[in-house]
Amino acid sequence: MDELGERIARLVRQVIEERLAVGGELASASTPGGRRRPLVAANWKMNGSRAMAEGYPSGLRPAPGVELVLCPPLVLLPPLAAALRAAPGLPEVGLGAQNLHFEPKGAFTGEHSPGMLREAGCRYVILGHSERRAMFGDDDALVARKVRAALAAGLRPILCVGERLEERESGATFRVLRAQLTAALAGLGPPAPAPGELVVAYEPVWAIGTGRTASAAQAEEALAFLRERLAELFSWAWARGARLLYGGSATPENAAALGAQPDVDGFLVGGASLEPAKLSAMALKLSEVRAR
Ligand code: PEP
């Protein structure tokens, strides 16, 4: 689909979704009171097995009001989805992918199109993760194409942005965040995607998989900055409705302090998400601090 086609498809979908919003999928991004619904997304990366996928749901515990999304390796989606369907007493858990190709089909060995991900049950897709930026050539322009393709197919991007350690130490954090965000969202709108359709994750590269978490103040400062940039790009009403996540060595131990920050709407979780009990504990902490 060309760019004009994508825009028309998005406009049509937005109109339909706005009409179906109350009680429908779009409403899941906010609570009935209009507050942003917390979101905890698990990035299994290239970890797991069929046995893990089959057993994972039995280790999950409900966390009132928190949306849970699992992004396993693609081949593990079917057994995970089946196990989730069979698990008693669990609220709906969303599924996501860790990457996509922006084309709908073709000679792209090893890749998966947005439509294929939708068909496999994905509602979300992680894009712009620092591991893909560093190891697989996902530069800003490619991330932007993927974001547009995801939205056009009805997938919700979880767009990752974040600075490297040397960038933080040289005072370049906000320049990097602004550049990555602006580039990834270039060419979006009008019309803008609905705020519930796009999630932004602040993932400082120095905190990913290192055990070195950003402080609550650092996470809040970065996410408040990103929300302001989103307001510049779209509008304040839009930015207030969009969910922003923190990611980088988030664990049950630091979830309450991070989750209490006004601009932290949830977490993108790598290592800790491999254990459903830890992921659930984080979601529960978030649920508790939000209920206060
Ligand atoms: C990630 O890879 O997105 C991530 C946040 O990893 P970890 O939680 O392991 O730091």
Side-chain angles (χ1 to χ4, degrees):
M1 203 185 312
D2 63 13
E3 207 152 304
L4 181 64
E6 281 180 14
R7 282 189 182 193
I8 292 170
R10 199 162 62 239
L11 179 58
V12 169
R13 213 181 40 256
Q14 190 172 328
V15 170
I16 293 169
E17 286 183 338
E18 274 165 13
R19 295 203 181 276
L20 297 174
V22 180
E25 276 193 296
L26 194 63
S28 70
S30 58
T31 65
R35 292 181 65 191
R36 295 186 296 270
R37 186 173 175 210
L39 169 65
V40 175
N43 176 11
W44 289 13
K45 312 192 188 195
M46 198 175 72
N47 292 300
S49 61
R50 189 180 182 91
M52 173 175 156
E54 287 170 351
Y56 196 91
S58 64
L60 289 174
R61 298 286 167 265
V66 178
E67 183 180 357
L68 216 53
V69 172
L70 306 178
C71 306
L74 276 189
V75 291
L76 299 181
L77 269 173
L80 180 62
L84 284 167
R85 278 195 298 274
L90 266 190
E92 198 188 327
V93 176
L95 294 173
Q98 301 171 16
N99 184 35
L100 56 66
H101 194 284
F102 53 81
E103 291 290 356
K105 66 183 170 79
F108 302 103
T109 302
E111 297 289 315
H112 297 89
S113 73
M116 291 170 186
L117 300 184
R118 282 291 272 159
E119 238 177 37
C122 292
R123 187 67 174 93
Y124 289 85
V125 58
I126 299 169
L127 295 176
H129 192 282
S130 62
E131 286 155 16
R132 293 214 56 91
R133 290 181 191 262
M135 292 186 271
F136 301 100
D138 284 22
D139 60 13
D140 283 340
L142 185 52
V143 173
R145 288 191 85 169
K146 291 183 176 188
V147 167
R148 290 200 299 270
L151 288 167
L155 287 163
R156 292 174 171 170
I158 300 177
L159 169 65
C160 302
V161 296
E163 81 286 3
R164 297 196 304 268
L165 185 59
E166 57 273 27
E167 291 166 334
R168 174 159 281 269
E169 288 176 344
S170 67
T173 296
F174 297 106
R175 185 175 55 70
V176 170
L177 295 184
R178 181 197 291 272
Q180 288 182 350
L181 185 77
T182 311
L185 303 184
L188 276 194
E197 294 300 297
L198 179 69
V199 177
V200 176
Y202 168 57
E203 294 219 312
V205 180
W206 46 271
I208 295 179
T210 60
R212 182 177 168 189
T213 318
S215 68
Q218 285 171 325
E220 171 58 21
E221 184 184 41
L223 288 172
F225 175 83
L226 289 168
R227 202 178 297 283
E228 277 174 32
R229 302 292 73 74
L230 289 168
E232 279 171 6
L233 288 169
F234 300 120
S235 70
W236 260 115
W238 194 98
R240 270 196 294 270
R243 290 179 298 175
L244 308 187
L245 310 183
Y246 168 76
S249 299
T251 63
E253 287 70 41
N254 52 39
L258 287 161
Q261 302 305 307
D263 285 292
V264 177
D265 300 317
F267 304 110
L268 179 54
V269 191
S273 76
L274 299 178
E275 293 177 49
K278 285 192 178 170
L279 192 75
S280 297
M282 295 175 71
L284 212 53
K285 290 260 161 64
L286 198 54
S287 172
E288 284 163 10
V289 292
R290 287 307 150 107
R292 281 181 202 149

